[in-house]
Amino acid sequence: MAIPFRYIAKIGVYLLKQHLTGVRRYPLVLMMEPLFRCNLACAGCGKIDYPDHILNKRLSVEDALRSVDECGAPVVVVAGGEPLLHKDLPQIVEGIIARRKFAIVCTNALLLAKKIDLFKPSPYFTWSIHLDGDKEMHDHAVCQDGVYDRAVEAIKLAKSKGFRVTTNSTFFSDADPARVAKFLDATSALGVDGMTLSPGYAYERAPDQTHFLNRTRTKELFRAILRRGRGGKAWDFTQSSLFMNFLAGNVSYRCTPWGMPLRTVFGWQRPCYLLGEGYVPTFRKLMEETNWDSYGVGNYEKCADCMVHCGFEATAVADSVRRPWRAAAVALFGVRTEGPMAPDISLENQRPAEYVFDENVAKLSELREHEAQQRAQQRSTAA
């Protein structure tokens, strides 16, 4: 696994502190979306179909860094939308690094050549460049030709300037394991510092609803991929070995939805990065007032097919702390890709899905517009 020792040591100390102090729920990674606007319109994305007055909203530098302090997680992943469209992104990244937090910027890389000199290499900073397979696969996934070639050129440019560069890839039901394995070989040959893989999750607002994976198909797909790379040992992943073991169906985990909390222009999203069923103004309210037991596989219909990193990576990392021999065995021998799979969680008692996203966003939008009008009136009165 291509995780630098600095990451392992710092996160290990953080995890140990939580366990020793008896903290039951704590964040591992802060997911931050300082804007929703993007310069692509991917069919599998449920993040960009907002009206312009919402797409034009931005988290300020002050709000972004206040959220970093409030959350306290050792890693901050800045995504979107496309974060390079945010004019204050360099200041946000500098603020994260100044706090000795690891800053990871997830980007489609279309603007990287133009913006890269606004950033400085640091052991606390990583570019995570989005690549959903080879040229044909990726360009199809992002619904635009030529994006793969520009992303590859951006990887080479960033590496030449001394940056740490990884890739993140999401695969859907139409992924071919042999082709994915060749893609991982080619990406490794680019000299990236690691790769992150995830199964596609069924965003309820995504334009394409036909190619999301169920749990059985996810396990079969990742077994078939990892089998072609010696149980994954042929490639460097910036993920827990136990998470990869989970994707291959060798262990059954319950998700840790608070492990990767999401801060957006609306506030803190409840309950997790993937499900938007309400927003609260503070991280404390998110942690203390969310009914966590009502979400997750076996608890909620929307979660039934989820095996995505933002829910299960934190579970796998916690398991590696409690049972380090498990992680060591997978690192040494690779992920098992043959034989029986672990029994899955029963869905018998899950509650039915509630479709409340549009209603919540409408209410938030009205509230924010009202607040903006009040501030404008106050400024007018003061003048």
Side-chain angles (χ1 to χ4, degrees):
M1 299 297 169
I3 305 175
F5 178 76
R6 186 188 299 267
Y7 274 63
I8 295 172
K10 192 173 184 69
I11 294 172
V13 169
Y14 172 81
L15 291 171
L16 185 61
K17 179 181 178 181
Q18 309 308 312
H19 282 264
L20 291 177
T21 54
V23 178
R24 182 186 174 195
R25 296 190 178 110
Y26 53 86
L28 181 64
V29 176
L30 167 58
M31 307 293 290
M32 182 182 296
E33 293 180 341
L35 79 171
F36 290 137
R37 188 173 290 282
C38 189
N39 47 5
L40 289 174
C42 306
C45 179
K47 297 284 185 178
I48 61 171
D49 59 337
Y50 295 99
D52 278 344
H53 73 274
I54 292 177
L55 292 177
N56 290 335
K57 291 182 181 294
R58 305 286 188 271
L59 272 184
S60 68
V61 175
E62 294 75 16
D63 284 343
L65 296 180
R66 188 181 302 114
S67 298
V68 172
D69 295 335
E70 188 182 359
C71 177
V75 180
V76 182
V77 173
V78 184
E82 171 49 52
L84 284 172
L85 290 171
H86 197 304
K87 66 180 180 62
D88 295 326
L89 181 65
Q91 288 85 357
I92 293 174
V93 170
E94 286 176 7
I96 295 169
I97 294 172
R99 288 160 170 75
R100 289 296 186 264
K101 309 280 188 181
F102 296 107
I104 302 173
V105 174
C106 291
T107 173
N108 59 39
L110 293 179
L111 293 172
L112 192 56
K114 179 180 179 180
K115 299 290 188 76
I116 194 167
D117 289 333
L118 299 175
F119 300 84
K120 298 178 182 178
S122 165
Y124 285 89
F125 180 51
T126 301
W127 293 109
S128 178
I129 295 180
H130 184 57
L131 278 182
D132 282 346
D134 59 31
K135 180 175 180 177
E136 183 181 350
M137 294 166 65
H138 183 65
D139 287 354
H140 174 74
V142 302
C143 306
Q144 184 172 315
D145 292 338
V147 177
Y148 175 87
D149 288 338
R150 293 175 67 180
V152 168
E153 289 305 310
I155 289 171
K156 295 176 180 178
L157 174 64
K159 289 297 299 180
S160 73
K161 289 180 175 289
F163 288 95
R164 185 170 187 269
V165 182
T166 63
T167 59
N168 66 85
S169 305
T170 303
F171 297 110
F172 296 87
S173 63
D174 55 350
D176 175 69
R179 192 169 178 180
V180 172
K182 290 181 179 179
F183 158 71
L184 296 177
D185 288 339
T187 305
S188 296
L190 292 174
V192 298
D193 297 287
M195 298 176 285
T196 299
L197 308 184
S198 183
Y201 177 79
Y203 284 111
E204 63 188 74
R205 295 165 62 85
D208 180 3
Q209 291 289 325
T210 62
H211 291 102
F212 291 113
L213 292 155
N214 60 37
R215 290 171 72 84
T216 298
R217 176 63 180 134
T218 294
K219 298 169 189 176
E220 293 171 347
L221 173 63
F222 278 86
R223 277 198 173 194
I225 293 170
L226 296 172
R227 186 180 302 128
R228 289 166 167 79
R230 295 184 290 116
K233 293 183 65 179
W235 307 300
D236 288 329
F237 296 119
T238 54
Q239 293 171 290
S240 162
S241 60
L242 291 187
F243 175 68
M244 303 304 290
N245 197 50
F246 163 72
L247 289 181
N250 296 322
V251 63
S252 180
Y253 285 145
R254 291 193 178 273
C255 79
T256 304
W258 57 85
M260 296 189 182
L262 173 63
R263 175 67 160 96
T264 78
V265 295
F266 292 139
W268 295 90
Q269 180 169 295
R270 176 186 287 160
C272 70
Y273 179 72
L274 294 172
L275 288 183
E277 297 204 342
Y279 297 86
V280 290
T282 67
F283 177 70
R284 173 169 290 191
K285 282 183 175 291
L286 174 72
M287 297 297 284
E288 295 179 355
E289 298 180 8
T290 302
N291 183 7
W292 298 110
D293 293 335
S294 67
Y295 295 99
V297 179
N299 296 329
Y300 190 34
E301 185 181 1
K302 285 185 181 179
C303 304
D305 286 323
C306 183
M307 295 183 70
V308 184
H309 69 283
C310 61
F312 295 93
E313 181 82 55
T315 310
V317 170
D319 192 25
S320 69
V321 173
R322 290 192 297 267
R323 304 175 182 87
W325 58 89
R326 282 188 177 181
V330 175
L332 183 62
F333 299 108
V335 173
R336 181 171 61 85
T337 59
E338 304 289 348
M341 295 184 183
D344 215 336
I345 297 169
S346 172
L347 306 179
E348 183 179 355
N349 296 317
Q350 68 181 7
R351 65 186 176 93
E354 298 179 30
Y355 295 96
V356 297
F357 183 86
D358 288 336
E359 180 182 348
N360 287 332
V361 169
K363 288 179 179 178
L364 277 166
S365 182
E366 291 174 6
L367 177 62
R368 298 293 187 263
E369 291 302 311
H370 178 66
E371 291 172 346
Q373 290 173 7
Q374 284 186 322
R375 288 193 296 268
Q377 290 174 356
Q378 290 169 356
R379 287 194 295 268
S380 177
T381 301

